[in-house]
Amino acid sequence: MFVSDKAAVRYGVRGAVATLTMDQQQNRNALTPALMSGLSRGLETALADEAIGVIVLTNAGPAFCAGADLSGGTPAAAGGGKRRRARRDGLADLLAAIQDSTKPVVARIAGHCVAGGIGLAAACDISIADDAARFGFTEVRIGVAPAIISVVCLPKLRRADALELFLSGERISAARAAEVGLITRAVPAADLDAEVAAVVARVLAGGPSALAAAKRLVYTIPGMDRDAAFTRTTEVSQALFASAEAAEGMAAFREKRLPSWAPPSGAS
């Protein structure tokens, strides 16, 4: 176990679940270098631990994530007035790492989520929010746009919803965020922990290699040519059916027992 830079992110393990808790309450979990570094290190640690099956991303305090850290001025101001070749942003790498993770990442959103924070929520595979949380692409109201996070948000949104939300900067309810597809669902605060635990338990019932393959399919197949997609998915299917994991899963099904990777009931 580790605690990241200045405790910006707390890392904990319980059973097969690693939890990354953003804990910069003084700035509403803004996307500081320390917080992004802590999240990246937490992901790396969880991915390297064979005992971990699911990663949960959550927050301490009343805000899930307030987006860019503006306390030291505009993040882009370091470039001065000269036009320079754009460098890859740390947030871009973090969002990519979440989506590329071979282990499912579940967001437990226990507070308000705006701007870059929505990018974190949208990048996660499953996102469950407190129904009192508010969401908003507020960037336009300070003269910028939701550029980097659009990469993970736009695939989840209808164009009509994206245009309204991006252009208005309006804050919306968690229920509305679920309705437009940014998050999976919203539940009352009293039910949040139980709902996240239930989701995690259902995910942990799947084989690790099967979960990684299923996640890759969701992110890659929609953008492929049809014939190329059929070729790729045939390869994936054949490899999985021939795997030791599938042999164990099918044997467990026939023998009416849990497969070797599944935690005992109530152990997740």
Side-chain angles (χ1 to χ4, degrees):
M1 181 182 296
F2 76 89
V3 177
S4 74
D5 307 59
K6 299 181 182 179
V9 176
R10 291 186 278 111
Y11 182 94
V13 174
R14 182 176 181 181
V17 182
T19 299
L20 281 61
T21 304
M22 296 180 286
D23 195 6
Q24 286 189 150
Q25 298 182 51
Q26 72 279 7
N27 63 6
R28 302 175 65 81
N29 294 323
L31 293 166
T32 62
L35 185 127
M36 289 191 288
S37 172
L39 290 176
S40 295
R41 290 175 58 198
L43 285 169
E44 291 170 1
T45 300
L47 289 171
D49 187 344
E50 292 185 359
I52 298 301
V54 172
I55 302 165
V56 173
L57 172 60
T58 190
N59 61 286
F64 178 74
C65 178
D69 177 25
L70 303 180
S71 60
T74 305
K82 295 181 180 180
R83 186 177 184 87
R84 298 184 179 183
R85 183 175 180 179
R87 292 185 302 170
R88 176 104 168 205
D89 187 271
L91 178 58
D93 289 333
L94 175 60
L95 299 179
I98 292 171
Q99 292 200 328
D100 291 344
S101 165
T102 54
K103 298 178 181 182
V105 182
V106 176
R108 173 191 174 274
I109 302 169
H112 301 311
C113 183
V114 298
I118 298 185
L120 289 180
C124 291
D125 305 310
I126 301 172
S127 295
I128 311 296
D130 171 356
D131 63 5
R134 303 287 288 179
F135 292 74
F137 294 100
T138 54
E139 290 89 342
V140 293
R141 298 194 176 187
I142 61 167
V144 295
I148 293 168
I149 64 171
S150 70
V151 176
V152 295
C153 292
L154 288 178
K156 295 191 165 191
L157 294 167
R158 293 187 314 140
R159 181 173 294 183
D161 290 324
L163 285 166
E164 180 180 23
L165 294 171
F166 278 28
L167 297 179
S168 71
E170 177 188 12
R171 296 191 184 219
I172 60 174
S173 68
R176 177 63 176 156
E179 180 184 341
V180 299
L182 282 170
I183 63 173
T184 308
R185 57 184 161 275
V187 299
D191 299 333
L192 182 60
D193 286 335
E195 183 65 21
V196 171
V199 167
V200 167
R202 290 194 291 270
V203 173
L204 287 173
S209 295
L211 290 172
K215 178 172 174 174
R216 282 196 302 272
L217 292 173
V218 172
Y219 287 118
T220 61
I221 296 304
M224 294 178 69
D225 168 79
R226 185 192 64 182
D227 290 342
F230 276 133
T231 298
R232 178 60 184 144
T233 52
T234 298
E235 294 169 351
V236 170
S237 182
Q238 290 174 348
L240 290 173
F241 269 97
S243 69
E245 184 173 287
E248 163 62 11
M250 293 175 196
F253 177 79
R254 290 193 300 269
E255 297 163 13
K256 294 181 170 53
R257 61 173 174 83
L258 290 174
S260 59
W261 59 77
S265 179
S268 62

